[in-house]
Amino acid sequence: MKDQYSLLAPFYNRLTKLVFGEDLTLAKRHFVENIEGRKVLIIGGGDGLAYQSFQNHLSGEYWEISRAMLQKAEVNLEESGLSFHLGFFQAEKEFDEVWLHFVLDTMLDEEIESLLREIRKSLKPQGTIHLADFFSPQNFFQRIKQGSMIGFFRIAANHKRKNLPDYEAILENQNWVKMAEKDFLEGWVKAQKWSLK
Ligand SMILES: C[S@@+](CC[C@H](N)C(=O)[O-])C[C@H]1O[C@@H](n2cnc3c(N)ncnc32)[C@H](O)[C@@H]1O
């Protein structure tokens, strides 16, 4: 499998901080609470830096399809109780929560649907999905930024999408219910928590 993030991995974190400041990190951390003793599944976590400050409380699994990102995460989160896996997530164990942070926007609708079916097999009955991602831009400048970002990632990381997924429609179709939501950047970025009906 070709590593689409091998070129970006060394400076991905600095780049997102330069463009968005701390907002994306805050969105990723927003629903992180009482994780001690909970099994967390992180899919597409990138270099893992957003989770470094509380890594001692983290246990579960970390799945990445980019070897370069995974190697960074292994170093950045070496004091965590996570096990690290290269490839597409396959359900084997049970988890309390699944974190999908800025990863669904890189996937086609059918990939999201199939990932959600796999996640469902491995989530405890009261388990939750924690989503953080880009939604509709709220003003002219955000629309320009979003268009440039999509173009940049199509070239630099071979992203297939030309738009954003309708996360809510896809989740609701698979019987997920939104429990909580927090807006960042005026609602362009949202952190959401979902559970099964
Ligand atoms: C836009 S980056 C975001 C990284 C990180 N979540 C962050 O917010 O900094 C998307 C990441 O998801 C990974 N990824 C994409 N599809 C994936 C999949 N099906 N399973 C696991 N990782 C995936 C990519 O390799 C990349 O590291």
Side-chain angles (χ1 to χ4, degrees):
M1 178 170 44
K2 190 173 180 319
D3 184 347
Q4 315 284 17
Y5 274 80
S6 58
L7 290 176
L8 283 179
F11 60 92
Y12 182 84
N13 191 263
R14 265 172 291 156
L15 183 67
T16 55
K17 289 257 159 77
L18 192 70
V19 180
F20 299 105
E22 284 303 311
D23 286 283
L24 306 194
T25 303
L26 292 175
K28 288 183 250 187
R29 292 183 188 159
H30 185 71
F31 288 115
V32 177
E33 52 191 359
N34 304 324
I35 50 168
E36 191 91 56
R38 287 171 73 76
K39 289 279 171 238
V40 178
L41 169 62
I42 302 173
I43 298 177
D47 61 19
L49 271 174
Y51 318 126
Q52 194 173 41
S53 59
F54 53 86
Q55 61 175 306
N56 293 321
H57 305 291
L58 262 178
S59 68
E61 292 184 6
Y62 198 101
W63 286 77
E64 247 303 330
I65 55 168
S66 160
R67 185 183 294 278
M69 285 293 204
L70 190 72
Q71 282 170 346
K72 287 198 159 288
E74 282 174 315
V75 173
N76 291 333
L77 302 173
E78 64 179 350
E79 288 165 24
S80 74
L82 293 165
S83 60
F84 295 87
H85 306 264
L86 180 66
F88 292 94
F89 170 66
Q90 283 166 348
E92 276 179 16
K93 301 206 175 121
E94 284 209 312
F95 298 92
D96 296 290
E97 35 194 270
V98 183
W99 297 358
L100 301 172
H101 295 161
F102 301 95
V103 60
L104 297 189
D105 64 343
T106 71
M107 298 183 190
L108 298 174
D109 286 2
E110 48 274 28
E111 292 172 313
I112 300 175
E113 285 157 4
S114 118
L115 176 63
L116 288 176
R117 280 193 290 274
E118 202 63 24
I119 286 173
R120 199 179 173 141
K121 286 190 222 159
S122 59
L123 208 59
K124 293 185 185 168
Q126 306 303 320
T128 46
I129 286 184
H130 296 199
L131 171 70
D133 223 315
F134 289 98
F135 284 69
S136 296
Q138 297 300 304
N139 58 46
F140 174 75
F141 292 107
Q142 292 183 350
R143 269 194 293 282
I144 298 287
K145 257 191 186 177
Q146 174 138 300
S148 322
M149 218 165 59
I150 288 177
F152 172 76
F153 279 103
R154 281 173 62 81
I155 294 167
N158 212 16
H159 283 187
K160 293 168 227 153
R161 291 201 80 100
K162 293 184 179 159
N163 59 5
L164 290 174
D166 188 344
Y167 318 97
E168 301 200 342
I170 296 174
L171 281 154
E172 282 163 4
N173 264 338
Q174 292 202 10
N175 278 328
W176 293 89
V177 186
K178 189 165 59 180
M179 301 163 68
E181 177 175 273
K182 166 82 179 163
D183 284 351
F184 296 84
L185 300 172
E186 299 162 49
W188 184 21
V189 167
K190 293 180 193 294
Q192 298 181 332
K193 202 165 157 178
W194 293 77
S195 69
L196 275 168
K197 249 183 206 165

